[in-house]
C-alpha cells in the first residue's frame, strides 16, 4: 500500500536589495514590525532608523504605515524582489510621520 507524501507548504521568501549590490532573503510570513526590525538588523541600520521597501518599479510598499501586527505576507508577494528605502521623519504641528 502506497502512502501519499506529506504536503509541504510553499517556501515564502522575498529578496531585498540594499547597499552596493548586496541582497538578502527574508521570510515575510511574520508580523510587519518584526520583518522591518530584522531587515534593519541584517543590513546594519540602527533601530531608530525608519525603512520601507519599494518594488522594482520604485513604488513604495508602505510597510511602515501598515499595522505593526499585520503579517507582511498579507502585503508582500512571495518570491519578489524589493529595494530597501531609508525614510526620514518629518514633524508637523500636529504629529510626526515618515517620508521615504
Amino acid at each position: 500500500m502506497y502512502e501519499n507524501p506529506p504536503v509541504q507548504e510553499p517556501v515564502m521568501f522575498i529578496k531585498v536589495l540594499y547597499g552596493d549590490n548586496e541582497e538578502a532573503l527574508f521570510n515575510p510570513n511574520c508580523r510587519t514590525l518584526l520583518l522591518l526590525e530584522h531587515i534593519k538588523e541584517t543590513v546594519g541600520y540602527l533601530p531608530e532608523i525608519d525603512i520601507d521597501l519599494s518594488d522594482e518599479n520604485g513604488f513604495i510598499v508602505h510597510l511602515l504605515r501598515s499595522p505593526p501586527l499585520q503579517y507582511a505576507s498579507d502585503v508582500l508577494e512571495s518570491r519578489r524582489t524589493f529595494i530597501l528605502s531609508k525614510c526620514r521623519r518629518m514633524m508637523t504641528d500636529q504629529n510626526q510621520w515618515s517620508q521615504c
Side-chain angles (χ1 to χ4, degrees):
M1 199 170 215
Y2 294 102
E3 286 187 33
N4 290 332
V7 176
Q8 292 185 345
E9 293 293 320
V11 177
M12 296 187 76
F13 67 87
I14 59 168
K15 181 172 23 172
V16 175
L17 306 177
Y18 66 96
D20 189 20
N21 284 330
E22 296 186 69
E23 60 184 52
L25 297 179
F26 296 94
N27 182 350
N29 194 25
C30 64
R31 301 203 189 273
T32 302
L33 179 66
L34 294 176
L35 177 63
L36 290 174
E37 288 176 358
H38 184 60
I39 292 172
K40 285 192 273 190
E41 182 180 307
T42 300
V43 303
Y45 284 176
L46 296 173
E48 58 271 8
I49 293 176
D50 289 333
I51 62 168
D52 211 327
L53 300 175
S54 63
D55 65 16
E56 292 178 296
N57 295 319
F59 294 105
I60 300 292
V61 177
H62 296 294
L63 281 180
L64 195 59
R65 293 184 189 170
S66 297
L69 300 181
Q70 177 181 16
Y71 271 70
S73 56
D74 294 342
V75 179
L76 302 173
E77 187 178 335
S78 185
R79 300 177 185 255
R80 297 262 327 264
T81 299
F82 297 92
I83 302 161
L84 182 63
S85 299
K86 192 185 294 187
C87 305
R88 57 188 165 151
R89 294 183 186 196
M90 308 292 284
M91 295 293 291
T92 64
D93 291 337
Q94 284 134 11
N95 58 11
Q96 175 180 329
W97 52 280
S98 294
Q99 177 181 4
C100 297

